[in-house]
Amino acid sequence: MASPKVAVVGAGVIGLSTALCITETCPSCSVTILSDQFSPNTTSDVAAGMLIPHTYPDTPIHRQRQWFKETFTYLFAISNSAEASEAGIHLVSGWQVFKSTPKEELPFWSDIVLGFRPMSEAELQKFPHHQFGQAFTTLKCDCPAYLLWLEKRLKASGAQMYTRKVADLWELHSEYNVVVNCTGMGAHQLLGDKELFPVRGQVLKVHAPWVKHFIRDGDGLTYIYPGIHRVTLGGTREKGSWSRSPDPDTTRDIFDRCCSLEPSLQGAQDIEMKVGLRPSRQCVRVQREVLSQGGVKLPVVHNYGHGAGGFSVHRGTANEAAHLVAECISALQGSSSRAKL
Amino acid sequence: MRVAVIGAGVIGLSSALCLHEQFHGLVPSLELEVYADHFSPHTTSDGAAGLWQPYLSDHGNLQETLWNKETFDYLLRHLHSPAAKEMGLFLISGYNLFTEPVPDPSWKNIVLGFRNLTPKELELFPGYSCGWFNTALMLECRSYLPWLTNRLTQRGVKFFHKKVESFQELFSQGVDVVLNCSGMRAGDLQPDPELQPGRGQIIKVLAPWVKHFIVTHNLKSGIYNSPYIIPGSEFTVLGGVYQHGNWSEENNAKDHKSIWDSCCRLLPTLQKAKIVTEWSGLRPARPSVRLERESIRLGNLQGEVIHNYGHGGFGITIHWGCAMAAARLLGSILQEKKQLASPPGPRL
């Protein structure tokens, strides 16, 4: 197979980063990205893109740690280069605060982020409703800059991108040798995966350029994440809600909760409401599968179900998915050479 | 009781507010006036990035360290007030970088979360072998000075846009006490060979992805003669020039290149930053701050002067502590003039 044809379905952070990894691990592959939406209309565009991992209940911790470490290392190098501002990657310091001391004081990622330590008494005085906190420095991927930067790198490597709604992965079998499923929430309809469910998140994007630190309540519900031009205020975690329309009462509630953590936000301007459906699963599905119909086989690599933690692990899962694609191609080349005998 | 403040930079305006807050209720006849030839945005204070950070060492000048602490604590108390945004006050964290180990600074317990940098953090700054991380404050004078002016105007303080030529000029008009906050030009009012310019130059850029201050130190070249990057609420300030004895307020091309090249080496992503403007100013440098009373007598004219100048590159850092000290000096003057009741003594 001279030039294996790989289709990546989905153009959010998972689809684009997976496609990029495939061009890196398999330079002879021809990669095409197919998606009904591209930036700025993907779920990723709504996310703040903070590198603070979400814990998946059914994925082994060492695997999550590996994914996060690879992602952090990759982005750390970009943040330190001249491309950082174009890629939308920057360092940000801040605090995760808890109303009561958490059972686990050292999360699995504490040695991967920078300068992780408990907050001092003096620092905690800024948060009168909270008793315990952690200070650290991490990275933020500012969307849509990051997605546009990924698209630019992909085009430079020869990858093609088309707006196309794929209703069934099988429809791609005649044009492509391997299909990579990075459809996020779309996998619900595409595959009928009952383990995939939306967790609705509403956020506000505001103009408050004096806010230089992130603040996150340990319960994960209230957070303030300063980006390049806007600060993301969040949020909600509505399991099973499919509504993509912003709710004004929710906006008021998010704003109040964030102002309670950071009173200066009262002066924030240009408040924009956004909604994203986190494609949630008990474990991220990074897995090979072979679809077959009437003797014809189509290798598929799945990479979806990242829920609240997409940005934090994207590069790690993209690497893993790219290796699975390489395995699929080897298997195809193996069977085609066997066919010649 | 007429008190005239000379100077409308951070020292003059904050001292004026402090005096008014302390004595307005106690001295009904108090009339406060501010005289200056330059007002915001044309003062030296306006050129400063606004980072609260003293020099590395206080050289045993404990008084200045206490004034720095007083200022930090005062500002921290205002952080959550509704006025903070209007004052240009916000928290900021960042890095101080060194090529050799240095002792901890006098201010390590004043700022928040002071610690040494980890090896991984130092990977961000090749060429620097150690450093500190801490959370401090920004006080942007382009907001703070107008805020102070508004508070003063609300309190009925009068402003005069003129260059005062001598203390006598004010005494002859009936002023009782002069608060001399004339910064770099104090020498015009009374010669002071200890007051020398510490010329600085800065480049203001648009780089909103920079969220931390980065201040490098070169112990041989001295303070602020090494690149620094300080992100404000709108612009990021690039600097690293301190030229003792240089009175030029013109932007210098060689300094520009040195600042730009060294800051881009420090933070490669700055190469994509858009330059907005450039500025030069004179830090009013002195071996120590001049904060003391002086009685001036010329012929039949007499008056009290409280000097409050010579804050070098740490005016914003120390301003409130000095304002309070100046207020205490005014208090003793007022007591002597029997404008203020002495503290009640024991009954005999």
Side-chain angles (χ1 to χ4, degrees):
Chain A
M1 195 175 303
S3 177
K5 294 198 197 59
V6 180
V8 175
V9 187
V13 68
I14 301 303
L16 296 183
S17 57
T18 303
L20 192 60
C21 280
I22 295 168
T23 66
E24 290 164 11
T25 55
C26 180
S28 62
C29 282
S30 128
V31 176
T32 305
I33 295 130
L34 306 168
S35 181
D36 59 355
Q37 300 291 354
F38 282 81
S39 178
N41 299 316
T42 70
T43 306
S44 301
D45 289 284
V46 180
M50 285 294 288
L51 256 69
I52 299 177
H54 168 80
T55 301
Y56 303 101
D58 291 350
T59 301
I61 289 290
H62 71 84
R63 203 172 167 211
Q64 297 187 49
R65 210 186 118 79
Q66 183 59 25
W67 287 340
F68 181 59
K69 191 161 183 206
E70 276 177 39
T71 307
F72 195 92
T73 305
Y74 173 70
L75 295 174
F76 186 73
I78 297 173
S79 79
N80 212 9
S81 75
E83 292 201 65
S85 55
E86 197 199 330
I89 309 296
H90 61 95
L91 284 173
V92 58
S93 296
W95 310 282
Q96 179 164 240
V97 291
F98 300 82
K99 294 202 169 81
S100 52
T101 307
K103 264 179 294 182
E104 197 190 58
E105 283 192 27
L106 271 188
F108 74 80
W109 42 268
S110 64
D111 62 329
I112 299 170
V113 296
L114 304 175
F116 185 97
R117 59 169 173 84
M119 284 166 74
S120 63
E121 279 304 314
E123 287 175 301
L124 276 166
Q125 292 206 5
K126 186 175 147 54
F127 304 102
H129 306 292
H130 295 77
Q131 292 197 6
F132 178 81
Q134 299 151 339
F136 56 95
T137 301
T138 188
L139 291 158
K140 186 180 189 296
C141 293
D142 221 69
C143 246
Y146 185 55
L147 294 198
L148 289 177
W149 181 80
L150 287 172
E151 284 180 25
K152 191 172 162 190
R153 301 272 310 263
L154 282 162
K155 283 183 191 139
S157 74
Q160 307 268 318
M161 283 179 255
Y162 298 106
T163 303
R164 172 174 166 179
K165 176 141 178 97
V166 173
D168 184 336
L169 292 180
W170 189 257
E171 67 185 65
L172 303 172
H173 84 273
S174 56
E175 303 162 68
Y176 300 97
N177 304 113
V178 181
V179 169
V180 188
N181 169 27
C182 302
T183 51
M185 207 59 243
H188 180 90
Q189 198 182 41
L190 197 57
L191 308 176
D193 181 349
K194 291 189 175 50
E195 291 173 52
L196 182 70
F197 54 92
V199 173
R200 180 184 184 277
Q202 182 163 322
V203 293
L204 311 180
K205 306 246 177 183
V206 309
H207 181 76
W210 60 88
V211 175
K212 305 290 185 192
H213 298 88
F214 70 81
I215 305 172
R216 179 179 200 269
D217 191 305
D219 67 13
L221 271 179
T222 308
Y223 49 83
I224 296 161
Y225 294 143
I228 293 178
H229 299 290
R230 321 276 279 147
V231 182
T232 301
L233 308 184
T236 66
R237 287 190 170 181
E238 301 153 275
K239 190 173 167 183
S241 167
W242 285 90
S243 166
R244 291 175 196 265
S245 321
D247 174 63
D249 288 330
T250 303
T251 294
R252 180 84 246 156
D253 179 57
I254 292 170
F255 192 74
D256 288 345
R257 283 187 275 126
C258 287
C259 286
S260 153
L261 281 181
E262 177 53 70
S264 72
L265 283 171
Q266 291 286 353
Q269 306 273 311
D270 300 332
I271 298 172
E272 255 186 287
M273 302 185 279
K274 295 231 181 254
V275 176
L277 305 181
R278 299 177 184 84
S280 308
R281 230 171 163 273
Q282 293 291 94
C283 62
V284 183
R285 191 178 180 200
V286 188
Q287 195 177 51
R288 273 172 75 180
E289 190 186 358
V290 179
L291 304 181
S292 71
Q293 263 188 42
V296 184
K297 293 193 200 302
L298 174 64
V300 172
V301 172
H302 296 288
N303 188 7
Y304 69 90
H306 301 72
F311 277 89
S312 296
V313 297
H314 75 274
R315 178 77 181 182
T317 57
N319 275 332
E320 203 175 302
H323 281 114
L324 292 178
V325 169
E327 282 179 17
C328 291
I329 291 168
S330 292
L332 285 172
Q333 288 169 333
S335 60
S336 74
S337 57
R338 274 197 296 280
K340 283 182 181 157
L341 295 171
Chain B
M1 170 60 47
R2 279 180 66 193
V3 177
V5 177
I6 304 177
V10 67
I11 300 300
L13 296 185
S14 62
S15 299
L17 184 63
C18 189
L19 295 190
H20 202 270
E21 282 177 350
Q22 301 241 340
F23 297 108
H24 168 70
L26 300 171
V27 183
S29 69
L30 182 71
E31 272 175 47
L32 197 53
E33 297 152 17
V34 174
Y35 293 79
D37 56 0
H38 292 113
F39 287 87
S40 181
H42 305 293
T43 71
T44 307
S45 306
D46 288 286
L51 176 66
W52 186 100
Q53 186 167 292
Y55 291 176
L56 289 187
S57 165
D58 61 11
H59 300 296
N61 200 325
L62 192 58
Q63 182 64 263
E64 287 181 8
T65 298
L66 291 173
W67 287 336
N68 289 334
K69 177 172 164 55
E70 216 177 327
T71 307
F72 191 88
D73 292 344
Y74 167 78
L75 293 173
L76 200 60
R77 283 197 296 275
H78 280 76
L79 198 59
H80 284 188
S81 79
K85 183 190 171 192
E86 215 193 316
M87 286 165 79
L89 177 66
F90 54 92
L91 278 175
I92 189 166
S93 294
Y95 307 89
N96 276 282
L97 303 172
F98 305 90
T99 54
E100 55 189 289
V102 293
D104 286 346
S106 60
W107 41 269
K108 74 180 252 217
N109 293 321
I110 302 175
V111 294
L112 301 172
F114 182 93
R115 62 172 173 81
N116 286 320
L117 292 180
T118 65
K120 208 156 129 206
E121 285 176 307
L122 285 165
E123 279 176 39
L124 288 165
F125 310 111
Y128 294 95
S129 57
C130 50
W132 308 322
F133 183 94
N134 65 266
T135 301
L137 291 162
M138 283 283 284
L139 185 62
E140 295 184 309
C141 279
R142 70 192 185 122
S143 298
Y144 190 46
L145 299 194
W147 181 82
L148 287 168
T149 305
N150 288 339
R151 300 285 79 70
L152 289 165
T153 306
Q154 272 172 8
R155 287 164 165 271
V157 173
K158 293 192 173 50
F159 288 82
F160 298 93
H161 193 151
K162 67 178 287 199
K163 184 173 167 71
V164 172
E165 302 291 348
S166 67
F167 300 129
Q168 288 78 357
E169 180 192 322
L170 294 174
F171 293 141
S172 69
Q173 286 170 24
V175 167
D176 300 291
V177 181
V178 169
L179 184 40
N180 176 21
C181 305
S182 48
M184 198 64 249
R185 255 81 54 61
D188 293 353
L189 291 166
Q190 186 185 89
D192 181 352
E194 292 196 286
L195 179 70
Q196 293 289 318
R199 181 183 175 278
Q201 184 165 323
I202 52 132
I203 306 172
K204 264 197 204 170
V205 304
L206 277 175
W209 56 88
V210 178
K211 305 291 180 191
H212 298 92
F213 62 80
I214 306 172
V215 179
T216 68
H217 301 268
N218 181 326
L219 301 180
K220 285 187 207 70
S221 351
I223 192 80
Y224 299 131
N225 253 332
S226 191
Y228 62 77
I229 298 165
I230 301 173
S233 61
E234 205 181 334
F235 306 111
T236 297
V237 174
L238 311 183
V241 162
Y242 188 109
Q243 295 154 349
H244 195 83
N246 186 346
W247 283 91
S248 169
E249 288 178 85
E250 301 287 312
N251 292 320
N252 175 283
K254 205 158 150 243
D255 289 335
H256 170 98
K257 182 166 167 35
S258 159
I259 294 167
W260 182 257
D261 289 349
S262 60
C263 286
C264 285
R265 252 195 315 274
L266 187 55
L267 203 61
T269 169
L270 280 177
Q271 288 162 51
K272 304 278 168 75
K274 180 169 166 227
I275 295 178
V276 172
T277 188
E278 199 148 2
W279 180 88
S280 304
L282 308 178
R283 299 175 184 88
R286 213 173 174 275
S288 64
V289 174
R290 188 178 183 198
L291 185 35
E292 61 187 2
R293 273 177 67 175
E294 187 184 2
S295 294
I296 305 265
R297 233 169 280 257
L298 206 75
N300 59 348
L301 278 178
Q302 192 207 293
E304 294 295 316
V305 177
I306 299 170
H307 297 286
N308 186 6
Y309 68 86
H311 305 80
F314 51 90
I316 288 162
T317 298
I318 204 172
H319 80 276
W320 193 254
C322 289
M324 294 289 280
R328 286 191 288 277
L329 291 175
L330 182 61
S332 48
I333 294 172
L334 293 171
Q335 275 188 332
E336 284 162 24
K337 289 179 185 281
K338 302 204 168 30
Q339 289 286 317
L340 199 63
S342 330
R347 277 171 179 244
L348 292 169

PDB file of all heavy atoms in Angstrom, chain B residues 25-48:
ATOM      1  N   GLY B  25     -10.981  65.989  59.690  1.00  0.00           N
ATOM      2  CA  GLY B  25     -11.963  66.056  60.766  1.00  0.00           C
ATOM      3  C   GLY B  25     -11.437  66.753  62.008  1.00  0.00           C
ATOM      4  O   GLY B  25     -12.186  67.353  62.778  1.00  0.00           O
ATOM      5  N   LEU B  26     -10.123  66.687  62.195  1.00  0.00           N
ATOM      6  CA  LEU B  26      -9.537  67.205  63.435  1.00  0.00           C
ATOM      7  C   LEU B  26      -9.195  68.693  63.345  1.00  0.00           C
ATOM      8  O   LEU B  26      -9.119  69.383  64.357  1.00  0.00           O
ATOM      9  CB  LEU B  26      -8.250  66.423  63.769  1.00  0.00           C
ATOM     10  CG  LEU B  26      -8.426  64.917  63.974  1.00  0.00           C
ATOM     11  CD1 LEU B  26      -7.068  64.237  64.087  1.00  0.00           C
ATOM     12  CD2 LEU B  26      -9.253  64.648  65.223  1.00  0.00           C
ATOM     13  N   VAL B  27      -8.924  69.161  62.140  1.00  0.00           N
ATOM     14  CA  VAL B  27      -8.501  70.557  61.965  1.00  0.00           C
ATOM     15  C   VAL B  27      -9.470  71.223  60.996  1.00  0.00           C
ATOM     16  O   VAL B  27      -9.261  71.199  59.783  1.00  0.00           O
ATOM     17  CB  VAL B  27      -7.058  70.634  61.417  1.00  0.00           C
ATOM     18  CG1 VAL B  27      -6.580  72.073  61.305  1.00  0.00           C
ATOM     19  CG2 VAL B  27      -6.116  69.820  62.295  1.00  0.00           C
ATOM     20  N   PRO B  28     -10.542  71.816  61.505  1.00  0.00           N
ATOM     21  CA  PRO B  28     -11.584  72.372  60.636  1.00  0.00           C
ATOM     22  C   PRO B  28     -11.068  73.425  59.667  1.00  0.00           C
ATOM     23  O   PRO B  28     -11.606  73.607  58.588  1.00  0.00           O
ATOM     24  CB  PRO B  28     -12.585  72.993  61.624  1.00  0.00           C
ATOM     25  CG  PRO B  28     -12.296  72.337  62.929  1.00  0.00           C
ATOM     26  CD  PRO B  28     -10.850  71.986  62.936  1.00  0.00           C
ATOM     27  N   SER B  29      -9.987  74.119  60.066  1.00  0.00           N
ATOM     28  CA  SER B  29      -9.495  75.185  59.187  1.00  0.00           C
ATOM     29  C   SER B  29      -8.550  74.667  58.116  1.00  0.00           C
ATOM     30  O   SER B  29      -7.977  75.439  57.350  1.00  0.00           O
ATOM     31  CB  SER B  29      -8.758  76.239  60.032  1.00  0.00           C
ATOM     32  OG  SER B  29      -7.552  75.662  60.533  1.00  0.00           O
ATOM     33  N   LEU B  30      -8.347  73.355  58.033  1.00  0.00           N
ATOM     34  CA  LEU B  30      -7.375  72.800  57.094  1.00  0.00           C
ATOM     35  C   LEU B  30      -7.778  73.056  55.640  1.00  0.00           C
ATOM     36  O   LEU B  30      -8.872  72.700  55.215  1.00  0.00           O
ATOM     37  CB  LEU B  30      -7.224  71.292  57.316  1.00  0.00           C
ATOM     38  CG  LEU B  30      -6.194  70.591  56.435  1.00  0.00           C
ATOM     39  CD1 LEU B  30      -4.782  70.987  56.839  1.00  0.00           C
ATOM     40  CD2 LEU B  30      -6.353  69.083  56.521  1.00  0.00           C
ATOM     41  N   GLU B  31      -6.858  73.692  54.903  1.00  0.00           N
ATOM     42  CA  GLU B  31      -7.069  73.887  53.467  1.00  0.00           C
ATOM     43  C   GLU B  31      -5.911  73.230  52.754  1.00  0.00           C
ATOM     44  O   GLU B  31      -4.754  73.590  52.974  1.00  0.00           O
ATOM     45  CB  GLU B  31      -7.053  75.386  53.120  1.00  0.00           C
ATOM     46  CG  GLU B  31      -8.402  76.064  53.236  1.00  0.00           C
ATOM     47  CD  GLU B  31      -8.270  77.567  52.997  1.00  0.00           C
ATOM     48  OE1 GLU B  31      -7.600  77.960  52.011  1.00  0.00           O
ATOM     49  OE2 GLU B  31      -8.802  78.334  53.826  1.00  0.00           O
ATOM     50  N   LEU B  32      -6.225  72.263  51.890  1.00  0.00           N
ATOM     51  CA  LEU B  32      -5.183  71.515  51.217  1.00  0.00           C
ATOM     52  C   LEU B  32      -5.164  71.897  49.743  1.00  0.00           C
ATOM     53  O   LEU B  32      -6.213  71.980  49.098  1.00  0.00           O
ATOM     54  CB  LEU B  32      -5.482  70.024  51.377  1.00  0.00           C
ATOM     55  CG  LEU B  32      -4.387  69.011  51.132  1.00  0.00           C
ATOM     56  CD1 LEU B  32      -3.152  69.326  51.946  1.00  0.00           C
ATOM     57  CD2 LEU B  32      -4.896  67.624  51.476  1.00  0.00           C
ATOM     58  N   GLU B  33      -3.939  72.144  49.217  1.00  0.00           N
ATOM     59  CA  GLU B  33      -3.797  72.522  47.806  1.00  0.00           C
ATOM     60  C   GLU B  33      -2.690  71.685  47.188  1.00  0.00           C
ATOM     61  O   GLU B  33      -1.714  71.358  47.859  1.00  0.00           O
ATOM     62  CB  GLU B  33      -3.384  73.998  47.710  1.00  0.00           C
ATOM     63  CG  GLU B  33      -4.412  74.951  48.278  1.00  0.00           C
ATOM     64  CD  GLU B  33      -3.787  76.249  48.809  1.00  0.00           C
ATOM     65  OE1 GLU B  33      -2.623  76.553  48.459  1.00  0.00           O
ATOM     66  OE2 GLU B  33      -4.457  76.944  49.602  1.00  0.00           O
ATOM     67  N   VAL B  34      -2.851  71.359  45.910  1.00  0.00           N
ATOM     68  CA  VAL B  34      -1.819  70.610  45.188  1.00  0.00           C
ATOM     69  C   VAL B  34      -1.308  71.474  44.043  1.00  0.00           C
ATOM     70  O   VAL B  34      -2.093  71.967  43.227  1.00  0.00           O
ATOM     71  CB  VAL B  34      -2.352  69.274  44.635  1.00  0.00           C
ATOM     72  CG1 VAL B  34      -1.302  68.581  43.765  1.00  0.00           C
ATOM     73  CG2 VAL B  34      -2.800  68.354  45.766  1.00  0.00           C
ATOM     74  N   TYR B  35       0.019  71.660  43.999  1.00  0.00           N
ATOM     75  CA  TYR B  35       0.652  72.423  42.927  1.00  0.00           C
ATOM     76  C   TYR B  35       1.546  71.493  42.128  1.00  0.00           C
ATOM     77  O   TYR B  35       2.352  70.758  42.697  1.00  0.00           O
ATOM     78  CB  TYR B  35       1.539  73.535  43.502  1.00  0.00           C
ATOM     79  CG  TYR B  35       0.783  74.622  44.212  1.00  0.00           C
ATOM     80  CD1 TYR B  35       0.310  74.453  45.517  1.00  0.00           C
ATOM     81  CD2 TYR B  35       0.533  75.854  43.577  1.00  0.00           C
ATOM     82  CE1 TYR B  35      -0.381  75.455  46.165  1.00  0.00           C
ATOM     83  CE2 TYR B  35      -0.156  76.863  44.228  1.00  0.00           C
ATOM     84  CZ  TYR B  35      -0.618  76.656  45.516  1.00  0.00           C
ATOM     85  OH  TYR B  35      -1.304  77.647  46.156  1.00  0.00           O
ATOM     86  N   ALA B  36       1.419  71.520  40.797  1.00  0.00           N
ATOM     87  CA  ALA B  36       2.308  70.700  39.979  1.00  0.00           C
ATOM     88  C   ALA B  36       2.400  71.261  38.577  1.00  0.00           C
ATOM     89  O   ALA B  36       1.447  71.863  38.080  1.00  0.00           O
ATOM     90  CB  ALA B  36       1.797  69.256  39.923  1.00  0.00           C
ATOM     91  N   ASP B  37       3.566  71.068  37.959  1.00  0.00           N
ATOM     92  CA  ASP B  37       3.692  71.480  36.558  1.00  0.00           C
ATOM     93  C   ASP B  37       3.266  70.340  35.624  1.00  0.00           C
ATOM     94  O   ASP B  37       2.962  70.570  34.467  1.00  0.00           O
ATOM     95  CB  ASP B  37       5.115  71.977  36.241  1.00  0.00           C
ATOM     96  CG  ASP B  37       6.185  70.945  36.575  1.00  0.00           C
ATOM     97  OD1 ASP B  37       5.851  69.844  37.059  1.00  0.00           O
ATOM     98  OD2 ASP B  37       7.372  71.259  36.363  1.00  0.00           O
ATOM     99  N   HIS B  38       3.265  69.104  36.142  1.00  0.00           N
ATOM    100  CA  HIS B  38       2.810  67.963  35.341  1.00  0.00           C
ATOM    101  C   HIS B  38       1.788  67.159  36.125  1.00  0.00           C
ATOM    102  O   HIS B  38       1.943  66.920  37.321  1.00  0.00           O
ATOM    103  CB  HIS B  38       3.982  67.038  34.989  1.00  0.00           C
ATOM    104  CG  HIS B  38       4.957  67.647  34.042  1.00  0.00           C
ATOM    105  ND1 HIS B  38       6.239  67.973  34.391  1.00  0.00           N
ATOM    106  CD2 HIS B  38       4.818  68.018  32.738  1.00  0.00           C
ATOM    107  CE1 HIS B  38       6.859  68.499  33.341  1.00  0.00           C
ATOM    108  NE2 HIS B  38       6.022  68.539  32.333  1.00  0.00           N
ATOM    109  N   PHE B  39       0.730  66.769  35.424  1.00  0.00           N
ATOM    110  CA  PHE B  39      -0.282  65.897  36.013  1.00  0.00           C
ATOM    111  C   PHE B  39      -0.359  64.627  35.178  1.00  0.00           C
ATOM    112  O   PHE B  39       0.134  64.586  34.046  1.00  0.00           O
ATOM    113  CB  PHE B  39      -1.646  66.599  36.044  1.00  0.00           C
ATOM    114  CG  PHE B  39      -1.731  67.684  37.077  1.00  0.00           C
ATOM    115  CD1 PHE B  39      -1.328  68.986  36.785  1.00  0.00           C
ATOM    116  CD2 PHE B  39      -2.191  67.406  38.362  1.00  0.00           C
ATOM    117  CE1 PHE B  39      -1.384  69.983  37.752  1.00  0.00           C
ATOM    118  CE2 PHE B  39      -2.248  68.399  39.327  1.00  0.00           C
ATOM    119  CZ  PHE B  39      -1.847  69.692  39.023  1.00  0.00           C
ATOM    120  N   SER B  40      -0.989  63.586  35.724  1.00  0.00           N
ATOM    121  CA  SER B  40      -1.189  62.348  34.977  1.00  0.00           C
ATOM    122  C   SER B  40      -1.888  62.680  33.658  1.00  0.00           C
ATOM    123  O   SER B  40      -2.823  63.478  33.657  1.00  0.00           O
ATOM    124  CB  SER B  40      -2.051  61.393  35.803  1.00  0.00           C
ATOM    125  OG  SER B  40      -2.241  60.186  35.114  1.00  0.00           O
ATOM    126  N   PRO B  41      -1.499  62.095  32.511  1.00  0.00           N
ATOM    127  CA  PRO B  41      -0.533  61.008  32.338  1.00  0.00           C
ATOM    128  C   PRO B  41       0.901  61.450  32.038  1.00  0.00           C
ATOM    129  O   PRO B  41       1.652  60.695  31.441  1.00  0.00           O
ATOM    130  CB  PRO B  41      -1.103  60.265  31.125  1.00  0.00           C
ATOM    131  CG  PRO B  41      -1.700  61.338  30.277  1.00  0.00           C
ATOM    132  CD  PRO B  41      -2.182  62.400  31.235  1.00  0.00           C
ATOM    133  N   HIS B  42       1.283  62.656  32.484  1.00  0.00           N
ATOM    134  CA  HIS B  42       2.614  63.146  32.130  1.00  0.00           C
ATOM    135  C   HIS B  42       3.598  63.163  33.285  1.00  0.00           C
ATOM    136  O   HIS B  42       4.594  63.879  33.236  1.00  0.00           O
ATOM    137  CB  HIS B  42       2.499  64.562  31.536  1.00  0.00           C
ATOM    138  CG  HIS B  42       1.555  64.593  30.378  1.00  0.00           C
ATOM    139  ND1 HIS B  42       1.819  63.963  29.193  1.00  0.00           N
ATOM    140  CD2 HIS B  42       0.326  65.154  30.248  1.00  0.00           C
ATOM    141  CE1 HIS B  42       0.797  64.139  28.371  1.00  0.00           C
ATOM    142  NE2 HIS B  42      -0.123  64.857  28.977  1.00  0.00           N
ATOM    143  N   THR B  43       3.327  62.394  34.357  1.00  0.00           N
ATOM    144  CA  THR B  43       4.266  62.366  35.470  1.00  0.00           C
ATOM    145  C   THR B  43       5.215  61.175  35.322  1.00  0.00           C
ATOM    146  O   THR B  43       4.971  60.271  34.520  1.00  0.00           O
ATOM    147  CB  THR B  43       3.518  62.219  36.816  1.00  0.00           C
ATOM    148  OG1 THR B  43       2.981  60.892  36.897  1.00  0.00           O
ATOM    149  CG2 THR B  43       2.375  63.228  36.932  1.00  0.00           C
ATOM    150  N   THR B  44       6.285  61.177  36.126  1.00  0.00           N
ATOM    151  CA  THR B  44       7.219  60.049  36.117  1.00  0.00           C
ATOM    152  C   THR B  44       6.477  58.767  36.496  1.00  0.00           C
ATOM    153  O   THR B  44       6.697  57.712  35.918  1.00  0.00           O
ATOM    154  CB  THR B  44       8.362  60.294  37.121  1.00  0.00           C
ATOM    155  OG1 THR B  44       8.951  61.570  36.838  1.00  0.00           O
ATOM    156  CG2 THR B  44       9.425  59.216  37.029  1.00  0.00           C
ATOM    157  N   SER B  45       5.575  58.884  37.476  1.00  0.00           N
ATOM    158  CA  SER B  45       4.812  57.718  37.946  1.00  0.00           C
ATOM    159  C   SER B  45       4.055  57.035  36.821  1.00  0.00           C
ATOM    160  O   SER B  45       3.918  55.808  36.809  1.00  0.00           O
ATOM    161  CB  SER B  45       3.796  58.139  39.010  1.00  0.00           C
ATOM    162  OG  SER B  45       4.416  58.840  40.052  1.00  0.00           O
ATOM    163  N   ASP B  46       3.568  57.825  35.871  1.00  0.00           N
ATOM    164  CA  ASP B  46       2.771  57.246  34.777  1.00  0.00           C
ATOM    165  C   ASP B  46       3.597  56.319  33.906  1.00  0.00           C
ATOM    166  O   ASP B  46       3.070  55.423  33.257  1.00  0.00           O
ATOM    167  CB  ASP B  46       2.171  58.353  33.903  1.00  0.00           C
ATOM    168  CG  ASP B  46       1.058  59.095  34.608  1.00  0.00           C
ATOM    169  OD1 ASP B  46      -0.032  58.516  34.734  1.00  0.00           O
ATOM    170  OD2 ASP B  46       1.298  60.232  35.056  1.00  0.00           O
ATOM    171  N   GLY B  47       4.926  56.548  33.862  1.00  0.00           N
ATOM    172  CA  GLY B  47       5.768  55.697  33.028  1.00  0.00           C
ATOM    173  C   GLY B  47       6.058  54.351  33.652  1.00  0.00           C
ATOM    174  O   GLY B  47       6.391  53.393  32.955  1.00  0.00           O
ATOM    175  N   ALA B  48       5.918  54.281  34.963  1.00  0.00           N
ATOM    176  CA  ALA B  48       6.236  53.028  35.649  1.00  0.00           C
ATOM    177  C   ALA B  48       5.216  51.955  35.294  1.00  0.00           C
ATOM    178  O   ALA B  48       4.037  52.253  35.107  1.00  0.00           O
ATOM    179  CB  ALA B  48       6.243  53.252  37.154  1.00  0.00           C
TER     180      ALA B  48
END
